[in-house]
Amino acid sequence: MLTPQEIHAKEFSGRGRNYDKAEVNEFLDQVVIDFETVTEENKTLKTKLAEADAAAKQVEDMKQSVNASILIAQEAADRLKKQTESEVAATLQQAQVEAQKIVMEATAKANNITSESQQVNAALVEEKQVLTADMGNFKNKLTSLLQAQLDLINNSSEWAEYGAKPAEAEVTPAALEAATEDSAESVEASSAVETVVVFPEKSNEADKFLNNDEN
């Protein structure tokens, strides 16, 4: 490719009809100027093209880097998602096991409390029944004992005279005066002597009844 210097130094040999040297030189000078302009523009365009290629290459590299980063991020997100899902599933399973364990323990405890309450209630009912039966037996024995004592008193000849009504006697003035003197003497004697009450001895039937009750 010709350069502006080669065009400017070009010499033409004369043949036949000669050209005007000044016009030729002027034309060549203009060609040189135009060629230099084209050459500079070409250099500029090449430089810009190289810069554009470099920028495009940089953009492509950045694009590949971004794509690689996106791919790595996507892979990391997938791994994190799988790990999180696995941890959530494990946590959920553990929570379900713990909840089932708590429910079973609470149910067993409630059943034990219910069973103990039923046993205590049954024991109290049984104890009440025993106490009721004992009270009934005690009442019957006490009633029988009192009735036996009453029958003993009513049927005893020794006690009969205490309930007998004395015979009425005729009261005379002399007897009234004598009774008054006897009463005064009796009062004086009772002030000095302690009163002693003597009960009749128990019969063999009463002893037999009491011995049966004790047995």
Side-chain angles (χ1 to χ4, degrees):
M1 185 178 179
L2 294 176
T3 63
Q5 290 78 13
E6 290 176 348
I7 294 173
H8 189 271
K10 179 65 178 175
E11 294 291 340
F12 296 96
S13 59
R15 290 184 181 177
R17 194 175 182 181
N18 294 328
Y19 294 98
D20 186 358
K21 186 176 181 179
E23 290 181 359
V24 172
N25 290 334
E26 183 181 359
F27 177 75
L28 291 175
D29 291 338
Q30 185 63 40
V31 171
V32 168
I33 293 172
D34 293 341
F35 191 76
E36 287 179 351
T37 302
V38 171
T39 301
E40 291 297 331
E41 290 179 355
N42 189 20
K43 289 180 180 181
T44 302
L45 292 175
K46 286 182 179 181
T47 301
K48 290 182 179 181
L49 181 60
E51 293 176 353
D53 290 339
K57 187 175 183 304
Q58 185 178 3
V59 171
E60 185 65 25
D61 293 340
M62 292 178 62
K63 181 180 179 181
Q64 292 179 359
S65 177
V66 169
N67 289 336
S69 300
I70 293 174
L71 182 61
I72 292 173
Q74 184 65 35
E75 292 177 353
D78 293 339
R79 287 196 301 270
L80 181 61
K81 181 180 179 181
K82 291 180 180 179
Q83 183 179 359
T84 303
E85 290 177 351
S86 178
E87 292 178 355
V88 169
T91 303
L92 180 60
Q93 184 177 3
Q94 184 178 0
Q96 291 176 348
V97 172
E98 292 294 334
Q100 186 176 4
K101 181 179 178 181
I102 292 173
V103 171
M104 291 177 64
E105 290 178 354
T107 302
K109 187 175 182 180
N111 291 334
N112 291 333
I113 293 175
T114 302
S115 178
E116 291 177 358
S117 300
Q118 291 176 351
Q119 292 177 359
V120 171
N121 187 32
L124 291 175
V125 171
E126 183 178 359
E127 184 177 358
K128 180 182 178 182
Q129 293 176 351
V130 172
L131 290 175
T132 301
D134 291 342
M135 287 297 295
N137 294 332
F138 177 76
K139 179 181 178 181
N140 294 332
K141 289 181 179 181
L142 182 60
T143 302
S144 299
L145 179 61
L146 294 176
Q147 185 64 41
Q149 293 295 325
L150 290 175
D151 293 340
L152 178 63
I153 292 172
N154 293 329
N155 297 327
S156 174
S157 60
E158 296 178 357
W159 285 93
E161 63 183 7
Y162 293 102
K165 189 175 181 179
E168 294 182 357
E170 183 179 359
V171 179
T172 63
L176 180 61
E177 182 178 357
T180 303
E181 291 177 358
D182 293 338
S183 298
E185 292 176 358
S186 298
V187 170
E188 291 177 358
S190 63
S191 61
V193 178
E194 183 180 0
T195 302
V196 178
V197 178
V198 179
F199 292 96
E201 295 181 357
K202 295 183 293 183
S203 65
N204 293 330
E205 294 180 358
D207 292 334
K208 183 178 179 180
F209 177 79
L210 293 176
N211 290 331
N212 290 334
D213 287 342
E214 290 177 357
N215 294 330

